[in-house]
Amino acid sequence: FFFCFFFVFGGVADLRLQRKFKGRFATTTTTTTEKVNLGREKIVAFFTLGRRLLHAAGGRGGTSQAASSFFFGSRGLYSTMATAPTTDAPAAATGKKLHGREFYESIGSPKYILAPMVDQSEFAWRMLSRSFMPPELQSKLLAYTPMFHARLFSQDAPKPPYNKYRDSHFQCVLPKDPATLWLDGNPLVGDRPLFVQFCANDPQHLLAAALKVAPYCDAVDLNLGCPQGIAKKGHYGSFLQEDQELIYRLINTLHENLPIPVTAKIRILETKEKTLEYAKNVLSAGASILTVHGRRREQKSHLTGVADWEYIRYLRDNLPAETVIFANGNVLEHGDIEECIAATGADGVMSAEGNLSNPAIFAPEPQPGAFEDEFWRGRDGKGGWRVDAVFRRYLDILHKYVKGGEPPARRPLFVPGKGMDTEWMKEEIVIPPKKGSKSEAFGNPNYGALQAHMFHLLRHFVSKHHDVRDALARARLGELEQFEGIYKMVEKKVAEGLIEYEETDGKSMEDPAEEERLKKLVEEMGPAETSATAILRCKRPWWCVQPIIRPLPKEAMARGAIQPGKKDKKRVAEEEANGGEKRVKGDETNGRDAKVVEAVKEELEKQTEFQTSELVSG
């Protein structure tokens, strides 16, 4: 009965969609790829209509929790669709495009925000991060795609393949069946709510790109925060902040012409007052949500330093109360999220590097006794998710969704004191050789990001186990068999580390000399002036996921990590000879230290070797 109504009323929706999008390509001849895009939009309409019929019949709408749950071996992960917002949001039901706080509430008022990260916030990683969220918090996690280049994303070739860049970065439908939803933005597997981020400096390119993703996401975000040299060369990201008129036109073009809301992510400027004017311009252009990274454009690499939450609080206090603000910066572990909200008054907190080190950063710590095979607790009460458990979840998601098959059979994760068999630890682990000359990674962002993710996730692990580091470096992207072999190496070493920890009553992980050194640094420099404070707070055994903590700029200079080039040294020497004294704005140092910092800032502005036409991300 329901399927009959689905197709009958779907036909009506089909006709209405054709009329709605008829004028989009009025200036050019409709190409095959444009017809495919129209077909994709029709599929979204069919899906929405079918869900409304189920809802009218008394159902909740959407797929059931049982249908959306997925099981890897004997472990059932949290359902990624348990309470996820669906495509039939109020805007779709009423025909009205929601804006601002009304839109924010319609997608579940998310409090946890997975940041857009260059080639790193792809579908598989988003699903891994979502898998740790308990059902009641599913709608509270909003994820962004990696940043896409609007011009490259929107421009099509006259014949197939129409756009390799778009096809290899945003995979919303099956390549051989455009009528079937696949990965990015698919509500059937739980990749919602989702914002798609673009960098751009041309309003029409931005609009053309945004229209292509609108049926598969909840909003489109404009990147105004990328500080890298390639963004300076391409004139986008944070290098647009001097051109407030262009920023207004970019956002306003989407606000006026896009069927879904537009949002923006900015960095702070030199003063709170200038930052406030910047934020007002973005909001007046039509941005529904404002994300504020509490660092200036110059703060990157060894000069990253600490984000200034006071700037974000200043915006909160001086912008209208209904403004939706996300805060970004200084989130190393889950507890920092609540601290950030209390300090800034933000509606949600975004995490980038903290999430790369620990994809479970948004989830509260499990209760004692829950997930005891995945979440380790030490004698001091501190705990963390085991790297082998996270690695396993990640591989299982790749097998199930990206490769389209079942994960291999796995033994239960080793837990000391459970009487588990350890004979498997004596088996030799062989990494399969590379296959052929072409890898599955080509054309698939989920495979392409795997190696980088594992180096980030295992950063502390591989500093001890160099054989795993070398195996990761040799692995070919996309060959899951090789990564399965590396996973077995990690699983074995974690088991050995846990056994040693129990046999030594925890002393195997004690390092009194190092702890004393860190405490001495805190006393000498002050808690706010050294990264030792964060290291002491966040440090866990090497078998647990944990943040990568960068030294603060002064520490980096003391260690020699910040070094000016020959030209910079020559210029500094000339300035000293002339009695010049150069001070860096926003930096407490002066004299020669300030000159060094300034020289390094300029050194970090070097351009990449890629041509603009080959740009794939920021």
Side-chain angles (χ1 to χ4, degrees):
F1 175 79
F2 291 125
F3 277 111
C4 289
F5 272 85
F6 180 90
F7 285 107
V8 170
F9 288 102
V12 177
D14 184 10
L15 291 174
R16 294 186 66 184
L17 264 176
Q18 289 189 50
R19 295 192 187 100
K20 178 179 179 181
F21 292 99
K22 184 178 179 181
R24 181 184 299 180
F25 307 107
T27 58
T28 59
T29 303
T30 304
T31 64
T32 302
T33 187
E34 289 162 352
K35 292 176 182 177
V36 169
N37 288 334
L38 288 174
R40 293 176 179 176
E41 290 156 354
K42 296 172 189 175
I43 292 301
V44 175
F46 284 138
F47 175 78
T48 301
L49 190 56
R51 296 190 70 262
R52 290 179 191 165
L53 288 169
L54 290 174
H55 184 77
R60 178 185 171 276
T63 53
S64 67
Q65 181 172 341
S68 63
S69 296
F70 51 94
F71 295 88
F72 299 150
S74 60
R75 164 68 66 182
L77 300 184
Y78 286 133
S79 165
T80 58
M81 279 291 288
T83 58
T86 57
T87 54
D88 58 341
T94 64
K96 172 190 173 185
K97 184 172 86 169
L98 301 182
H99 180 74
R101 187 160 297 277
E102 188 179 11
F103 161 67
Y104 175 64
E105 293 173 351
S106 76
I107 60 172
S109 302
K111 176 181 176 181
Y112 310 108
I113 320 297
L114 197 163
M117 295 176 283
V118 178
D119 296 333
Q120 295 284 275
S121 56
E122 78 291 345
F123 169 82
W125 190 259
R126 298 194 300 265
M127 293 297 288
L128 175 62
S129 299
R130 296 183 194 275
S131 75
F132 291 97
M133 302 296 287
E136 65 273 13
L137 293 179
Q138 284 291 324
S139 65
K140 299 301 180 183
L141 176 56
L142 161 66
Y144 284 64
T145 65
M147 185 195 75
F148 303 137
H149 191 288
R151 178 178 58 80
L152 298 181
F153 196 94
S154 62
Q155 292 181 337
D156 290 338
K159 59 181 181 179
Y162 298 105
N163 192 312
K164 286 185 178 180
Y165 175 85
R166 185 170 65 241
D167 293 342
S168 62
H169 284 78
F170 192 70
Q171 300 177 328
C172 51
V173 296
L174 287 172
K176 296 182 179 179
D177 183 11
T180 302
L181 297 174
W182 188 25
L183 302 177
D184 293 295
N186 187 349
L188 293 173
V189 298
D191 193 26
R192 291 293 186 93
L194 178 70
F195 289 3
V196 176
Q197 189 186 69
F198 289 104
C199 69
N201 55 28
D202 183 285
Q204 294 310 310
H205 285 157
L206 178 59
L207 177 60
L211 285 169
K212 292 183 183 298
V213 302
Y216 311 105
C217 63
D218 297 284
V220 169
D221 185 76
L222 176 61
N223 182 312
L224 296 171
C226 181
Q228 303 305 327
I230 198 164
K232 182 178 182 180
K233 181 178 180 180
H235 191 52
Y236 62 82
S238 64
F239 296 94
L240 294 182
Q241 63 192 31
E242 284 80 17
D243 193 345
Q244 291 293 316
E245 181 183 351
L246 175 58
I247 289 175
Y248 183 94
R249 287 193 290 114
L250 287 166
I251 296 173
N252 191 250
T253 298
L254 294 192
H255 177 59
E256 295 292 340
N257 299 282
L258 199 63
I260 59 177
V262 56
T263 66
K265 182 174 185 286
I266 69 172
R267 282 182 174 241
I268 62 174
L269 300 182
E270 292 81 2
T271 67
K272 294 177 181 178
E273 292 74 20
K274 288 183 179 180
T275 306
L276 178 60
E277 291 305 311
Y278 185 10
K280 287 180 177 178
N281 182 53
V282 169
L283 293 168
S284 66
S288 283
I289 296 174
L290 178 69
T291 300
V292 184
H293 188 163
R295 293 184 174 92
R296 298 185 307 280
R297 183 170 62 195
E298 296 79 13
Q299 291 181 269
K300 58 184 179 179
S301 187
H302 289 300
L303 297 173
T304 296
V306 178
D308 195 333
W309 286 351
E310 291 184 4
Y311 272 67
I312 305 175
R313 167 55 75 176
Y314 183 81
L315 296 182
R316 173 80 286 168
D317 293 341
N318 290 276
L319 289 171
E322 65 271 14
T323 304
V324 181
I325 298 177
F326 294 159
N328 181 208
N330 297 353
V331 177
L332 297 175
E333 53 186 7
H334 183 76
D336 295 332
I337 297 175
E338 291 299 333
E339 184 180 346
C340 179
I341 290 177
T344 64
D347 296 278
V349 175
M350 177 179 285
S351 174
E353 289 193 348
N355 170 260
L356 289 178
S357 300
N358 177 13
I361 191 170
F362 300 114
E365 184 176 301
Q367 294 297 319
F371 295 94
E372 61 180 357
D373 57 340
E374 292 188 294
F375 191 90
W376 176 85
R377 284 183 170 82
R379 282 168 166 71
D380 59 358
K382 291 184 178 181
W385 292 90
R386 289 168 43 171
V387 292
D388 55 340
V390 178
F391 197 167
R392 173 186 286 201
R393 284 198 184 203
Y394 188 20
L395 288 175
D396 286 349
I397 287 171
L398 288 168
H399 279 292
K400 185 172 182 67
Y401 292 108
V402 182
K403 196 168 185 177
E406 289 301 316
R410 306 188 190 281
R411 69 176 64 88
L413 288 169
F414 178 78
V415 179
K418 297 292 184 180
M420 291 184 167
D421 175 44
T422 57
E423 288 300 312
W424 61 272
M425 296 172 62
K426 301 176 183 178
E427 299 173 1
E428 182 182 3
I429 299 173
V430 179
I431 307 285
K434 297 177 181 178
K435 296 179 181 177
S437 59
K438 189 173 182 180
S439 166
E440 291 183 69
F442 292 99
N444 193 311
N446 298 287
Y447 290 138
L450 175 55
Q451 186 182 52
H453 275 309
M454 293 320 303
F455 268 119
H456 214 119
L457 192 70
L458 299 175
R459 173 71 173 271
H460 299 278
F461 183 99
V462 298
S463 65
K464 179 178 178 64
H465 301 289
H466 296 173
D467 54 338
V468 175
R469 178 195 62 193
D470 296 340
L472 267 177
R474 290 192 296 266
R476 183 185 291 275
L477 300 183
E479 294 192 6
L480 289 186
E481 293 79 7
Q482 289 192 328
F483 284 93
E484 286 289 345
I486 297 171
Y487 162 72
K488 291 179 181 178
M489 295 175 65
V490 172
E491 180 185 33
K492 178 180 177 180
K493 292 181 183 298
V494 169
E496 292 171 346
L498 292 173
I499 291 173
E500 182 183 13
Y501 181 87
E502 293 299 324
E503 290 178 346
T504 62
D505 197 27
K507 290 183 172 55
S508 63
M509 288 309 301
E510 293 180 0
D511 190 348
E514 174 64 10
E515 187 172 348
E516 184 62 30
R517 184 187 73 83
L518 293 172
K519 289 181 178 179
K520 187 176 180 181
L521 275 175
V522 174
E523 292 176 3
E524 292 176 351
M525 300 182 68
E529 298 297 327
T530 173
S531 57
T533 307
I535 294 174
L536 287 168
R537 174 169 62 94
C538 301
K539 187 174 179 58
R540 301 290 188 274
W542 50 263
W543 57 77
C544 290
V545 295
Q546 53 194 296
I548 298 170
I549 300 171
R550 292 175 174 172
L552 296 178
K554 288 183 180 179
E555 294 176 301
M557 283 197 300
R559 296 179 187 179
I562 295 179
Q563 291 288 342
K566 292 181 180 179
K567 292 183 180 179
D568 300 309
K569 290 179 179 178
K570 182 179 179 181
R571 177 167 55 80
V572 169
E574 291 174 351
E575 289 175 358
E576 288 183 340
N578 295 329
E581 191 73 11
K582 199 170 184 179
R583 183 176 177 84
V584 180
K585 186 180 291 185
D587 195 284
E588 295 179 0
T589 62
N590 52 38
R592 190 174 185 86
D593 283 347
K595 294 169 188 172
V596 170
V597 173
E598 179 67 20
V600 174
K601 286 179 179 178
E602 295 179 8
E603 184 72 15
L604 292 174
E605 293 296 332
K606 285 184 176 179
Q607 310 302 320
T608 70
E609 60 185 6
F610 294 103
Q611 298 297 317
T612 303
S613 61
E614 297 172 341
L615 176 65
V616 294
S617 68

